[in-house]
């Protein structure tokens, strides 16, 4: 049995940021990651807002290109441009750099290791060669949309967008992202995000309609090819993933467990954006873990939820409300009117009702 102050399950942006924050204060921290390689495979379109550069050190090697604005394509063929300065990331490098910073701060990392259960407060971890029990004062669940840690305490995301994405050859340079709405993209949208010479093109729909997702992506790719934006035969890769869109969970569900990132439902229920809140909440979780351990007072962990809610609750509550409205009126005759109330490119989205 191994003993740690903090066990972080998941080495994505949330987990690595939490591990770094706790390690910097001298705590003994272990990160475990079920994947063989941190950051791979990639399940992300890659865009981040410029604000993220104030929250995390972004290595220049992880930035593919800058983005100036977002263009939204409406069902009636109209468009709306929204200023949204940011970057397209090489997401695998971004995640690896965050994990390296946690390691440099003193955290240990085990890859190809899965938290399979919790037994008398100890976490049973299965790796390639052995099964180990880890005892930790604080457990931080940063293990994604279908969180194992969340399942231990019955805090589970239940409303998802399922997304399928390809990397495809662009026919010309782009300095903006594109989002496409169509009634056929039930509950979600399609996107074209440039990556220099290539782009990520994808479609996300409500999980209930996932069986037709590949067909929808093929139709979307056909339309991009006809519009002269991509080379349809230039497919370089494919990925799929789940995006939780049901809102945040109880993020301190047990006396020594904290949930962060997708595992906590911190992903925006409308846009699906999750990198920025993952890093913000990961840092808060790591710092609160330090405070709890230094003071030997388990009640301090409740401060984690208080702190992240000060930062994010207003925006997440708005997005949850808009998601409910969007889903209830998806197939309405006046779909454009519904979008004007529920999509971030419109002023009405930001007005309190």
């Amino acid at each position: 049995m191994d003993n740690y102050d903090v066990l972080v399950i998941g080495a994505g942006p949330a987990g690595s940021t939490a591990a770094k924050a706790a390690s910097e204060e001298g705590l003994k921290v272990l990160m475990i990651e079920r994947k063989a390689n941190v950051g791979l495979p990639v399940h992300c379109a890659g865009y981040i807002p410029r604000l993220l550069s104030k929250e995390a050190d972004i290595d220049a090697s992880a930035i593919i290109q800058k983005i100036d604005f977002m263009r939204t394509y409406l069902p009636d063929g109209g468009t709306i441009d929204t200023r949204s300065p940011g970057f397209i990331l090489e997401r695998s490098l971004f995640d690896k750099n965050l994990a390296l910073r946690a390691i440099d701060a003193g955290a240990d990392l085990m890859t190809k290791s899965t938290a399979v259960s919790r037994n008398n407060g100890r976490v049973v971890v299965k790796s390639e060669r052995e099964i180990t029990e880890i005892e930790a004062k604080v457990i931080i669940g940063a293990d994604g949309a279908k969180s194992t840690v969340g399942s231990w305490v019955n805090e589970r995301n239940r409303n998802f967008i399922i997304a399928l994405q390809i990397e495809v050859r662009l026919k010309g340079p782009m300095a903006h992202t594109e989002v496409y709405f169509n009634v056929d993209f039930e509950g979600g949208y399609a996107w074209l995000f440039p990556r220099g010479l290539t782009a990520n093109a994808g479609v996300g729909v409500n999980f209930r309609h996932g069986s037709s997702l590949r067909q929808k992506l093929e139709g979307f790719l056909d339309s991009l090819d006809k519009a002269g934006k991509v080379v349809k035969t230039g497919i370089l890769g494919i990925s799929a993933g789940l995006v939780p869109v049901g809102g945040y969970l109880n993020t301190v569900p047990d006396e020594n467990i904290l949930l962060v990132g997708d595992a906590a439902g911190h992903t925006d229920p409308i846009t699906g954006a999750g990198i920025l809140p993952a890093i913000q909440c990961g840092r808060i979780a790591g710092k609160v873990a330090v405070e709890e351990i230094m003071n030997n007072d388990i009640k301090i962990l409740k401060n984690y939820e208080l702190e992240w809610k000060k930062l994010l609750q207003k925006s997440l509550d708005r997005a949850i409300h808009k998601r409910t409205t969007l889903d209830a009126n998806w197939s309405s005759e006046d779909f454009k009117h519904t979008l004007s109330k529920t999509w971030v490119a419109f002023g009405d989205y930001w007005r309190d009702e």
Side-chain angles (χ1 to χ4, degrees), residues 13-272:
S16 291
T17 302
K20 177 176 180 287
S23 297
E24 286 176 334
E25 300 301 323
L27 297 191
K28 187 179 180 184
V29 179
L30 172 65
M31 287 190 294
I32 64 171
E33 170 56 54
R34 63 179 177 81
K35 300 174 185 175
N37 298 285
V38 172
L40 291 173
V42 174
H43 303 292
C44 178
Y47 169 80
I48 59 165
R50 187 178 295 169
L51 175 63
L52 184 59
S53 62
K54 298 180 180 180
E55 300 285 344
D57 294 328
I58 304 175
D59 193 281
S61 65
I63 296 176
I64 297 174
Q65 70 165 78
K66 293 181 179 180
I67 293 296
D68 297 326
F69 66 94
M70 173 181 66
R71 176 165 292 158
T72 299
Y73 286 81
L74 304 174
D76 63 2
T79 63
I80 181 170
D81 291 347
T82 310
R83 186 174 180 273
S84 55
F87 309 98
I88 297 294
L89 291 176
E90 185 62 71
R91 179 63 191 273
S92 62
L93 284 179
F94 178 73
D95 283 18
K96 287 175 183 176
N97 287 337
L98 290 179
L100 281 172
R101 290 187 175 94
I103 292 168
D104 289 344
D108 294 333
L109 171 65
M110 292 170 53
T111 56
K112 298 188 75 173
S113 300
T114 304
V116 294
S117 63
R118 190 170 55 143
N119 180 25
N120 295 322
R122 299 167 182 168
V123 176
V124 178
V125 177
K126 183 178 181 180
S127 60
E128 274 192 300
R129 298 180 180 178
E130 61 183 355
I131 295 177
T132 308
E133 285 194 348
I134 307 293
E135 186 167 12
K137 297 172 184 175
V138 178
I139 299 168
I140 297 178
D143 51 338
K146 301 285 281 187
S147 169
T148 297
V149 180
S151 71
W152 295 341
V153 289
N154 200 31
E155 289 295 329
R156 302 174 181 175
N157 295 299
R158 302 186 186 278
N159 189 3
F160 299 97
I161 293 293
I162 183 169
L164 185 62
Q165 173 178 270
I166 59 170
E167 184 178 359
V168 64
R169 185 72 160 89
L170 275 177
K171 285 190 176 179
M174 288 174 57
H176 64 280
T177 58
E178 294 185 349
V179 171
Y180 296 76
F181 282 95
N182 188 302
V183 290
D184 291 334
F185 304 148
E186 297 93 345
Y189 56 81
W191 62 89
L192 183 66
F193 283 18
R195 294 171 45 87
L197 297 176
T198 66
N200 286 331
V203 175
V205 299
N206 188 285
F207 187 78
R208 296 189 303 271
H209 302 279
S211 61
S212 60
L213 188 55
R214 182 175 291 274
Q215 181 181 352
K216 294 180 190 298
L217 179 58
E218 289 175 355
F220 177 55
L221 185 58
D222 283 340
S223 68
L224 293 177
D225 182 58
K226 291 176 182 177
K229 294 183 178 182
V230 306
V231 180
K232 183 181 178 181
T233 56
I235 297 176
L236 302 172
I238 187 167
S239 61
L242 291 176
V243 182
V245 294
Y248 51 84
L249 307 173
N250 174 10
T251 56
V252 192
D254 191 82
E255 62 177 14
N256 76 326
I257 287 179
L258 306 178
L259 298 177
V260 297
D262 282 5
H266 283 149
T267 312
D268 188 287
I270 288 292
T271 66

Side-chain angles (χ1 to χ4, degrees), residues 291-331:
E291 187 179 356
E292 187 277 330
I293 291 169
M294 295 300 186
N295 290 278
N296 193 28
D297 184 358
I298 199 72
K299 294 179 182 177
I300 288 175
L301 291 184
K302 293 292 183 182
N303 292 340
Y304 164 63
E305 188 154 293
L306 295 175
E307 290 299 316
W308 79 250
K309 283 186 173 180
K310 287 180 185 177
L311 186 66
L312 296 175
Q313 185 175 20
K314 183 177 180 180
S315 62
L316 287 177
D317 281 348
R318 176 188 289 116
I320 293 166
H321 172 68
K322 301 296 184 179
R323 164 57 58 184
T324 301
T325 301
L326 185 65
D327 287 344
N329 296 279
W330 187 263
S331 59

